[in-house]
């Protein structure tokens, strides 16, 4: 019995060994996909450059001849902004992304803005959050549909907010972020030269400002951020906390800008159910807001006012002006520079109006920086023609030849849309809509970019596109005693 068992065991061992050997002989290693190698002709492009696709080399070379390149996401970006000697700040992050989101900050950094402006506010428990409006309802919505004042919200309440899609106003499965999260995402994506412009919207005490500055030092570093605020006392406290940081005083919008803003709102929503249902309240609030603002509007562009401001905030400071105020007081730049101060401009009446005014100025009269809802490409091209064809490359493909044929005023921000006119010989102009490449104007393409707004003590008006098909779109934030 023992011998049979041993024989059986030995036999099994031989069979198993044979099977293993046979299986090893029959099995072959799975083919390994070779790692994709960027073509040598495109190796000089940034890491986010598209490097795959039909005629991609020819397309990138044709764009490169104009100081441009195509990204993996289908956007056109500038290879270099060296020809654009002005600080371009992304207003609330990338204007194409939801406010107070990760993507708004990351996309702006990826688009090579010099700085990214965000708004920070305090919750009732002392938590700093990335949020612009004093109440929810426009860019952010509570899942219950109730309106909340930020200063009365807890961290838990804030975590239950959802962001709105800028194009459709639909709620997204995405929440707004805290200030700490905003600082971390900025630190992760920034280049050493890029800075975060932290606009303070809350009336904070000294300790709360100390906490804010400590967070910025920890996550970004002293050289990576600066502050702006419409309240001088807040900036004065910050100077005591941080003697090195740049402080930008945000002078309120020009009364005419506010009047135009209110007028645009009324024209835009005259057929909207929300407007009709609340017409009396909106009219009253609009009149009150403008009257109140005119009565307290104060101009700080004189030499004496700037000197007082500089004495309070220090030499590493500046004044941020509505473009209408800047155009009326062009000497403010030389006055500010004589005190070591900078001048930035923004607009309450849309980025197109902002750029139109800037185009009226000689290059030496331009402000030190602009806070805009536009791409660096559009600002640099319109003000400095930084995307001029060098004509050193002769494209081979149809697309490459189309790119090379485009006039200097072609709007590459709308590149994908412009390709639809490729075979017809038309293009989209930065200034004049749809035009023929030979020069004859065919049609106008209206600008549908919503007007960017700021909150300076008057009713907070939406900078969403206006929806005329529903009365649920939130168009105007009025003082509401029912807000929590």
């Amino acid at each position: 019995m023992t011998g049979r068992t041993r024989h059986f065991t030995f036999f099994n061992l031989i069979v198993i060994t044979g099977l293993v050997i046979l299986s090893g002989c029959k099995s072959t290693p799975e083919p390994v996909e070779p790692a994709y190698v960027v073509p040598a002709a495109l190796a000089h492009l940034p890491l986010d450059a598209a490097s795959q696709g039909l005629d991609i080399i020819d397309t990138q070379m044709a764009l490169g001849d104009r100081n441009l390149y195509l990204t993996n996401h289908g956007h056109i970006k500038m290879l270099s902004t060296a020809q654009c000697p002005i600080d371009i700040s992304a207003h609330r992050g990338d204007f194409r992304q939801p406010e107070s989101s990760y993507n708004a900050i990351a996309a702006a950094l990826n688009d090579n803005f010099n700085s990214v402006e965000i708004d920070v506010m305090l919750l009732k428990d002392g938590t700093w959050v990335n949020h612009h409006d004093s109440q929810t309802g426009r860019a952010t919505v509570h899942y219950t549909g109730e309106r909340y004042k930020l200063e009365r919200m807890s961290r838990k309440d804030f975590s239950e907010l959802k962001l709105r899609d800028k194009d459709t106003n639909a709620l997204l499965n995405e929440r707004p972020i805290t200030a700490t999260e905003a600082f971390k995402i900025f630190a992760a994506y920034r280049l050493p030269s890029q800075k975060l412009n932290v606009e303070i919207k809350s009336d904070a005490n000294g300790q709360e400002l100390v906490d804010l500055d400590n967070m910025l030092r920890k996550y970004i570093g002293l050289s990576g951020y600066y502050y702006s605020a419409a309240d001088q006392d807040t900036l004065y406290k910050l100077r005591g906390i941080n003697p090195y940081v740049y402080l930008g005083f945000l002078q309120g919008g020009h009364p005419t800008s506010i009047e135009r803003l209110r007028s645009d709102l009324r024209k835009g929503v005259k057929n909207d159910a929300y407007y009709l249902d609340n017409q009396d309240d909106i009219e009253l609030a609009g009149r009150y807001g403008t009257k109140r603002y005119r009565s307290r509007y104060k101009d700080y562009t004189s030499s004496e006012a700037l000197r007082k401001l500089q004495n309070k905030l220090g030499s590493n400071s500046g004044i941020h002006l509505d473009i209408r105020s800047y155009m009326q007081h062009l000497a403010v730049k030389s006055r500010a520079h004589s005190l070591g101060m900078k001048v930035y401009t923004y607009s309450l009446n849309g980025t197109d109006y902002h750029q139109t005014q800037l185009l009226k100025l000689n290059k030496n009269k331009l402000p030190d920086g602009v806070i805009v809802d536009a791409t660096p490409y559009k600002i640099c091209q319109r003000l400095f023609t930084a995307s001029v064809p060098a004509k050193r490359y002769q494209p081979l493909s149809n697309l490459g030849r189309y790119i090379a044929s485009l006039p200097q005023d072609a709007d590459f921000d709308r590149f994908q849309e412009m390709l639809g006119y490729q075979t017809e010989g038309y293009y989209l102009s930065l200034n004049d809509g749809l035009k023929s490449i030979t020069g004859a104007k065919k049609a106008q393409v209206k600008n549908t970019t919503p007007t960017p707004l700021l909150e300076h003590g008057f009713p907070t008006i939406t900078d969403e596109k206006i929806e005329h098909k529903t009365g649920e779109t939130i168009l105007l934030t009025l003082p509401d005693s029912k807000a929590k």
Side-chain angles (χ1 to χ4, degrees):
M1 191 73 174
T2 305
R4 182 180 292 179
T5 302
R6 288 177 178 172
H7 176 72
F8 181 79
T9 304
F10 181 71
F11 177 78
N12 285 347
L13 181 62
I14 292 175
V15 171
I16 293 171
T17 304
L19 290 172
V20 170
I21 292 172
L22 287 174
S23 65
C25 293
K26 289 182 179 179
S27 65
T28 56
E30 290 292 328
V32 178
E33 288 287 337
Y36 177 77
V37 178
V38 175
L42 305 181
H44 66 288
L45 294 178
L47 294 177
D48 65 335
S51 58
Q52 299 184 59
L54 182 65
D55 297 323
I56 189 61
I57 293 178
D58 192 60
T59 298
Q60 293 288 31
M61 296 298 286
L63 287 169
D65 193 62
R66 309 176 75 110
N67 187 33
L68 303 171
Y69 72 96
L70 177 66
T71 73
N72 285 317
H73 299 293
H75 297 152
I76 299 294
K77 289 169 56 176
M78 300 188 70
L79 284 168
S80 169
T81 57
Q83 307 95 316
C84 192
I86 191 172
D87 186 87
I88 306 173
S89 187
H91 182 224
R92 302 183 212 167
D94 190 303
F95 65 99
R96 295 162 293 197
Q97 301 293 332
E99 283 182 29
S100 307
S101 68
Y102 284 102
N103 288 340
I105 296 172
L109 291 171
N110 194 45
D111 211 9
N112 294 332
F113 280 91
N114 301 111
S115 61
V116 179
E117 185 263 355
I118 65 170
D119 304 287
V120 295
M121 306 184 75
L122 280 168
L123 301 181
K124 69 178 181 180
D125 62 0
T127 300
W128 286 99
V129 295
N130 179 193
H131 201 274
H132 174 269
D133 297 352
S134 61
Q135 298 185 52
T136 63
R138 181 185 61 84
T140 60
V141 179
H142 195 260
Y143 77 96
T144 62
E146 294 184 75
R147 303 289 296 278
Y148 282 80
K149 289 185 178 179
L150 264 289
E151 63 184 12
R152 296 183 182 178
M153 294 186 77
S154 66
R155 175 72 180 273
K156 181 178 181 299
D157 293 331
F158 187 79
S159 69
E160 294 171 340
L161 295 178
K162 289 186 178 296
L163 297 172
R164 280 191 189 273
D165 182 274
K166 279 193 170 181
D167 291 325
T168 66
N169 266 347
L171 296 185
L172 303 171
N173 189 25
E174 186 179 355
R175 62 173 178 81
I177 56 179
T178 65
T180 299
E181 290 171 319
F183 302 159
K184 287 181 178 179
I185 199 70
F186 179 84
Y189 282 86
R190 70 178 287 240
L191 296 173
S193 60
Q194 291 175 311
K195 296 189 176 185
L196 185 66
N197 173 4
V198 182
E199 182 179 338
I200 299 173
K201 309 288 286 188
S202 291
D203 183 14
N205 62 39
Q207 185 56 54
E208 289 164 336
L209 293 173
V210 167
D211 293 341
L212 178 66
D213 195 65
N214 284 340
M215 284 193 294
L216 284 160
R217 293 185 191 218
K218 176 181 178 181
Y219 295 115
I220 298 176
L222 278 173
S223 62
Y225 65 93
Y226 61 92
Y227 294 109
S228 59
D231 180 59
Q232 288 189 32
D233 289 337
T234 295
L235 296 174
Y236 180 69
K237 292 175 190 175
L238 282 167
R239 177 56 73 216
I241 295 167
N242 189 330
Y244 311 105
V245 72
Y246 171 84
L247 302 175
F249 170 61
L250 185 62
Q251 178 176 297
H254 192 282
T256 302
S257 297
I258 296 171
E259 191 71 44
R260 294 279 177 88
L261 187 63
R262 186 172 66 89
S263 176
D264 289 344
L265 172 78
R266 291 174 58 191
K267 290 176 183 177
V269 300
K270 61 184 178 181
N271 295 319
D272 190 273
Y274 180 88
Y275 180 86
L276 296 176
D277 290 343
N278 301 276
Q279 184 172 3
D280 291 340
D281 289 340
I282 291 176
E283 293 289 341
L284 177 61
R287 287 193 298 271
Y288 172 71
T290 303
K291 181 179 179 181
R292 177 187 178 202
Y293 197 77
R294 282 187 180 278
S295 66
R296 69 173 187 163
Y297 175 73
K298 190 171 182 180
D299 181 80
Y300 293 88
T301 59
S302 69
S303 296
E304 181 181 358
L306 286 171
R307 191 175 298 108
K308 289 181 178 178
L309 186 63
Q310 194 255 13
N311 287 338
K312 189 170 187 177
L313 304 183
S315 58
N316 191 18
S317 59
I319 186 168
H320 298 188
L321 299 169
D322 178 3
I323 186 61
R324 201 180 300 273
S325 297
Y326 183 78
M327 297 298 289
Q328 289 184 2
H329 305 282
L330 289 176
V332 65
K333 181 180 177 181
S334 61
R335 294 169 187 162
H337 282 191
S338 69
L339 298 168
M341 302 176 74
K342 294 181 180 180
V343 181
Y344 281 68
T345 59
Y346 66 88
S347 176
L348 294 177
N349 303 129
T351 192
D352 284 342
Y353 174 75
H354 193 177
Q355 292 177 59
T356 299
Q357 297 305 300
L358 294 172
L359 284 168
K360 296 178 180 180
L361 302 174
N362 294 329
K363 298 298 183 287
N364 63 337
K365 293 290 186 180
L366 289 170
D368 298 296
V370 291
I371 304 167
V372 294
D373 293 84
T375 62
Y377 155 75
K378 180 165 285 188
I379 300 296
C380 289
Q381 178 63 358
R382 293 193 75 182
L383 296 183
F384 303 99
T385 55
S387 178
V388 178
K391 297 184 179 180
R392 296 173 183 168
Y393 178 73
Q394 295 298 320
L396 305 174
S397 67
N398 289 334
L399 178 55
R401 285 192 287 268
Y402 176 67
I403 292 170
S405 71
L406 291 172
Q408 189 170 294
D409 67 335
D411 187 354
F412 280 92
D413 269 349
R414 302 169 71 182
F415 180 63
Q416 298 298 334
E417 184 182 351
M418 193 155 53
L419 293 182
Y421 302 102
Q422 178 181 347
T423 58
E424 301 174 25
Y426 291 95
Y427 74 102
L428 293 170
S429 165
L430 281 167
N431 306 309
D432 299 312
L434 188 62
K435 294 175 65 175
S436 167
I437 290 177
T438 59
K441 187 173 176 182
K442 179 182 180 183
Q444 290 286 344
V445 177
K446 293 182 179 180
N447 174 41
T448 57
T449 304
T451 300
L453 313 176
L454 299 174
E455 188 180 63
H456 294 298
F458 53 95
T460 302
I461 309 168
T462 183
D463 42 3
E464 304 287 351
K465 291 183 179 178
I466 295 171
E467 173 61 63
H468 296 279
K469 297 179 181 179
T470 175
E472 296 178 355
T473 303
I474 295 169
L475 300 168
L476 181 67
T477 300
L478 302 173
D480 186 1
S481 60
K482 295 181 181 179
K484 295 186 178 182

